[in-house]
Amino acid sequence: MKQFSTLKEIARKLGVSVSTVSRALSDSYEISESQKERIRAYVKEINYQPNPHAKSLRSNQSKTIGVLIPDISNYFFTLALQGIETIVHEKGYNLMIYQTHDDHLIEEKTFSYLENGVVDGVLSAVSSNKEGSIEHVKRLNSLIPIVFFDRHLKQMTVPFVSCNDYESGLHATKHLLERGCRNIVFIGIDESISVTADRLDGYRAALHQMSISVKEYNILLCKSQEEAYEEILKRLKQGDKADAFFSSVERYTVQLYRACEELKLKIPADLKVISFSNNPLASFMNPPLSTITQPAFEIGKSAAGLLLEMLKKKKPAAPKNLVIPCTFHYTVSSLGNK
């Protein structure tokens, strides 16, 4: 049997208008149920597949969502993407994924490219919160909806979904203080990134609550794993001995373990460690790592759901700023050996 590939041919065969076929396939209330059933049965019989490009042109939609992340190899973003996919694909959208590598220039170029209408909306874990570095975000947001996830820009009222970074930083530091630690080192990336700033604020607040002064040399902000390794080595060799590390970055914790091995330091005997991490291999590190686990899948899923609601031009079903709590898993690296 001939495969009818256009609505016009189907309409001619069934003796109805093209608009009737289109409305029936979109489940419009303007078409009777009997007419819908007749048209649906026929398109199923001929295995009709709509042309997505033609449909996009008619609706002025690309049916594509852009996703900007720093690094796809980061386990958090891998899980977040899985959450995004569960919602986006279910609603008939495709994904275009871009990596920024925490490079502001790459991010700016990508945002500028997306102004050309290649996507209907954007989900973004932005790379910087510095003043003067957000004009590209404002420009794109004036054209299409944007939802931030994990990281966000505090100067903008763009909806975002994240975890409770400040509270998690506070609780992680308090946990180390409760274990008797008093010289705690914080490891993170650029403080202009919202997650680093919030976790660092929580760290500082916990120390202040215990009347412990914040030592600037105990705050290590690094741009790469190798820099983190060198800075950790330098700090561990200082006379003012560190007794604990709170890592805001999973991959930097690996460098901490590496540095301890080189210096023959034992975790948790010589220093205790807790880290943000979504990697299931954390429990197989030697010793097993105490972790703060972000709800990555739920963050991605919620952010995608919020964006799709915005694309429907309806009020979001979820709060515009959704914060999902992290989960703590305390083990040998911070609790010590029994």
Side-chain angles (χ1 to χ4, degrees):
M1 178 180 290
K2 177 183 177 182
Q3 302 296 304
F4 292 92
S5 58
T6 68
L7 295 182
K8 187 175 181 180
E9 290 178 293
I10 294 172
R12 184 167 59 246
K13 178 68 177 181
L14 295 177
V16 296
S17 68
V18 172
S19 61
T20 297
V21 176
S22 179
R23 289 169 182 166
L25 296 181
S26 62
D27 199 27
S28 171
Y29 68 90
E30 299 174 286
I31 307 299
S32 68
E33 286 301 319
S34 59
Q35 186 77 293
K36 289 179 189 177
E37 288 301 319
R38 175 173 173 251
I39 293 171
R40 288 170 182 164
Y42 183 71
V43 298
K44 183 177 181 181
E45 176 188 336
I46 65 172
N47 193 29
Y48 166 71
Q49 297 295 327
N51 183 329
H53 302 294
K55 186 175 181 181
S56 295
L57 288 172
R58 287 194 303 271
S59 63
N60 199 30
Q61 291 182 325
S62 66
K63 297 298 289 184
T64 302
I65 301 296
V67 183
L68 277 76
I69 57 174
D71 184 1
I72 200 168
S73 67
N74 183 315
Y75 205 76
F76 168 84
F77 290 110
T78 300
L79 291 174
L81 281 172
Q82 290 176 11
I84 291 169
E85 286 178 336
T86 61
I87 296 295
V88 168
H89 291 164
E90 180 184 293
K91 299 298 183 181
Y93 282 81
N94 297 308
L95 288 180
M96 292 181 69
I97 301 168
Y98 304 88
Q99 295 186 84
T100 64
H101 303 288
D102 277 326
D103 187 317
H104 173 68
L105 293 178
I106 293 176
E107 178 181 276
E108 187 171 351
K109 288 179 181 178
T110 304
F111 268 79
S112 295
Y113 169 71
L114 296 177
E115 291 176 25
N116 295 324
V118 294
V119 297
D120 297 331
V122 167
L123 297 165
S124 178
V126 286
S127 65
S128 179
N129 202 46
K130 293 177 180 176
E131 290 291 343
S133 66
I134 64 173
E135 292 307 312
H136 58 291
V137 186
K138 290 181 177 179
R139 195 166 56 246
L140 183 62
N141 191 46
S142 69
L143 300 172
I144 60 175
I146 298 176
V147 171
F148 295 138
F149 69 101
D150 183 46
R151 308 170 176 192
H152 62 279
L153 297 177
K154 297 182 179 182
Q155 308 99 308
M156 295 181 64
T157 55
V158 173
F160 70 85
V161 182
S162 67
C163 71
N164 55 337
D165 289 296
Y166 172 83
E167 291 79 7
S168 296
L170 179 73
H171 294 159
T173 309
K174 280 186 172 180
H175 169 68
L176 293 173
L177 291 167
E178 289 165 0
R179 305 307 297 172
C181 304
R182 291 298 180 268
N183 206 4
I184 304 168
V185 178
F186 176 92
I187 317 173
I189 47 180
D190 194 331
E191 195 174 352
S192 71
I193 296 174
S194 63
V195 292
T196 301
D198 290 342
R199 294 168 188 178
L200 184 52
D201 283 347
Y203 161 85
R204 288 177 172 136
L207 294 181
H208 287 150
Q209 288 176 18
M210 291 291 292
S211 299
I212 298 174
S213 61
V214 177
K215 302 167 184 174
E216 288 307 311
Y217 59 78
N218 274 345
I219 299 173
L220 308 182
L221 301 177
C222 309
K223 295 180 180 178
S224 67
Q225 293 196 59
E226 199 54 40
E227 182 185 351
Y229 175 67
E230 295 298 332
E231 290 298 316
I232 290 167
L233 270 180
K234 185 192 303 182
R235 179 63 189 89
L236 289 174
K237 291 177 180 178
Q238 285 181 222
D240 186 11
K241 185 181 177 182
D243 55 15
F245 275 72
F246 165 34
S247 179
S248 173
V249 185
E250 175 183 279
R251 60 186 180 274
Y252 291 175
T253 310
V254 176
Q255 302 308 317
L256 170 60
Y257 272 58
R258 175 187 166 197
C260 286
E261 184 175 355
E262 178 171 328
L263 297 177
K264 309 300 181 185
L265 295 173
K266 299 295 183 183
I267 302 171
D270 295 313
L271 71 159
K272 294 179 171 59
V273 180
I274 188 168
S275 174
F276 274 85
S277 176
N278 282 81
N279 195 326
L281 296 179
S283 61
F284 294 99
M285 294 176 72
N286 185 23
L289 177 65
S290 290
T291 59
I292 309 144
T293 302
Q294 297 169 267
F297 184 91
E298 291 76 12
I299 286 174
K301 185 176 180 180
S302 298
L306 181 54
L307 180 62
L308 291 175
E309 286 295 325
M310 293 169 68
L311 289 173
K312 288 169 61 178
K313 297 183 179 179
K314 294 181 179 179
K315 291 183 179 180
K320 282 195 171 183
N321 297 335
L322 180 62
V323 177
I324 308 175
C326 293
T327 304
F328 282 73
H329 301 277
Y330 301 121
T331 185
V332 178
S333 74
S334 68
L335 292 174
N337 293 306
K338 294 182 180 180

